[in-house]
Amino acid sequence: MVLEKIDQLAREWLEEAGNRIFMALEQSNIEVEAKSDRNDLVTNVDKATEHYFAEKIAAHFPEHRLLGEEGYGEEITSLEGVVWVLDPIDGTVNFVEQKRNFAISLGIYQEGVGELAYIYDIIGGEFYFAKRGEGAFVNDVAIPKLAKDNKLEDSLVIINTASVRKFPHMLPVIQAARGLRLYGAATLEYMAVATGRADAYVSANLSPWDIGAGKIIAEEVGAIVTRVDGSEMVITEKGDSFVASPGVHAEILRDYSR
Ligand code: IPD
Ligand code: CA
Ligand code: CA
């Protein structure tokens, strides 16, 4: 019952937040700041979006907690109770430079279990959703389960240069694949794997809000989500991430791990 209420309100708030982001782009009302380095960007729109969710969650579900990128939530190291894991804009560099290829990402965890997930690619017009055990959808159309026997030689893989530097054994993976693609937003890279537009995405350094929703949606269609060494990926811990269709995940671990 509570999940139904959360789902209904989350959809309303995502739609409203999406409209506000769209208007900010239309009106060029974007102020950019650098965080840890000159390419780690945040804007007034990232902050306003997270603040909007923080106020809504506190007003409707005061006992729930928010784990968000921009600091309007709480310091969270465990997923007790209900936790809303939010990236108000994933792909902020794309948001600033391209005005597209970014998304709002929201995952709802209850006692550590991912129950609901939403990734809203506002400009692309794609609204991804999953409910645990009930499948994943894009714009309300069910996403087919991934094939189990895909091969690396037929696959597109997604990995950026920083990740290849950290995991040099991924260079031969790229060479063995059909091709390399990069989107610049972890959530959309997860969705590329979930929808079969790519077969593997490797990243050296993701945070809870980058993967909170993507993991739920990808697993719902049968993708395998782990650390790069194949171990379990706990979303509250920042670190590397490896999501792939089952056959390609197994092939990379078997034939290319150090
Ligand atoms: C970043 C993007 C990027 C990934 C970074 C993330 P942000 O998120 O998802 O693709 O490589 O690790 O931090 O800062 O745009 O929300
Ligand atoms: Ca992000
Ligand atoms: Ca972000």
Side-chain angles (χ1 to χ4, degrees), residues 35 39-42 46 69-70 87-95 102-103 160 163 183-189 201 203-207 209-210 238:
K35 293 201 281 188
N39 297 322
D40 180 15
L41 304 182
V42 63
D46 298 64
E69 180 168 17
E70 308 307 342
D87 194 338
I89 296 184
D90 180 48
T92 298
V93 171
N94 289 348
F95 176 68
F102 61 88
N160 66 22
S163 303
Y183 298 83
T187 53
L188 299 181
E189 291 167 324
Y201 165 47
S203 178
N205 197 16
L206 294 181
S207 296
W209 39 84
D210 297 316
K238 199 175 158 91

Side-chain angles (χ1 to χ4, degrees), residues 26-43:
E26 286 273 288
Q27 294 164 0
S28 298
N29 179 19
I30 297 164
E31 293 152 24
V32 185
E33 277 172 58
K35 293 201 281 188
S36 59
D37 64 59
R38 67 183 303 281
N39 297 322
D40 180 15
L41 304 182
V42 63
T43 74

